[in-house]
Amino acid sequence: GALHMLAALCAALLGITVSPTRTPRVVMSYSWSSPGWRWGYANGAAHDVAMRVRSALSTPQARAGYLDSLRSSDGAPPLDDIKMVLALAWQRARNYGYDDADWEGAMEDMAACKFEGDGGSERLAQAIRARLGGGEADAALQVLAAQSLDALQFESRGL
């Protein structure tokens, strides 16, 4: 109906897709290794995507839904979405002084593209496991991401 059309219009303006059964997702046209990405700058694709992610996950309810989607065996967010949410949460922990596991180091490694290309996902999973004090050796990356976000109280603190 009209409400769904309004939601779809708002989502299009924010660069997210809306599905009645899924959590909002960010549509990324760049990756961490793209020249126009420019993580940490006030302009560039990273800044634009970060603004859309922050908007899409601006409420505790939206963040709870996002965490649920990470823990779900189906419908997990795309990897690039997960990386952006992690990087923003890690950056916030550094900026607000509650980074007690060197999440900043993981964020810097992400910005340096250490989690891109072949084996990038496994390197990211290893980096998260190390900061969580081990974690399940066979846990899926999105589950580890949820655990990282839980450790940073993402649902209540936000991005």
Side-chain angles (χ1 to χ4, degrees):
L3 184 58
H4 182 71
M5 288 176 57
L6 179 60
L9 176 61
C10 291
L13 293 171
L14 292 171
I16 58 177
T17 55
V18 173
S19 168
T21 60
R22 297 229 169 148
T23 301
R25 296 170 189 255
V26 176
V27 177
M28 302 215 3
S29 58
Y30 285 85
S31 71
W32 287 87
S33 58
S34 299
W37 187 245
R38 300 177 46 84
W39 174 259
Y41 291 88
N43 58 23
H47 175 75
D48 297 343
V49 172
M51 288 183 59
R52 287 195 301 266
V53 169
R54 284 188 173 111
S55 178
L57 298 175
S58 63
T59 66
Q61 296 80 11
R63 293 188 294 272
Y66 188 80
L67 288 168
D68 288 344
S69 72
L70 288 173
R71 293 184 186 102
S72 172
S73 59
D74 63 301
L79 179 59
D80 284 331
D81 287 13
I82 294 170
K83 286 179 178 180
M84 176 55 81
V85 171
L86 287 171
L88 290 171
W90 297 342
Q91 182 182 55
R92 186 180 199 287
R94 178 203 61 199
N95 291 349
Y96 286 90
Y98 59 90
D99 179 355
D100 60 359
D102 189 33
W103 296 110
E104 178 183 14
M107 180 194 68
E108 290 172 356
D109 286 347
M110 190 161 330
C113 300
K114 293 186 178 179
F115 307 130
E116 296 294 305
D118 290 340
S121 294
E122 183 51 38
R123 289 188 298 277
L124 177 56
Q126 289 170 354
I128 294 171
R129 274 189 207 98
R131 287 162 176 83
L132 291 173
E136 296 177 39
D138 61 347
L141 176 57
Q142 68 261 20
V143 172
L144 292 168
Q147 292 171 356
S148 170
L149 294 169
D150 285 340
L152 296 171
Q153 299 175 21
F154 166 72
E155 187 175 336
S156 62
R157 287 179 168 160
L159 297 171

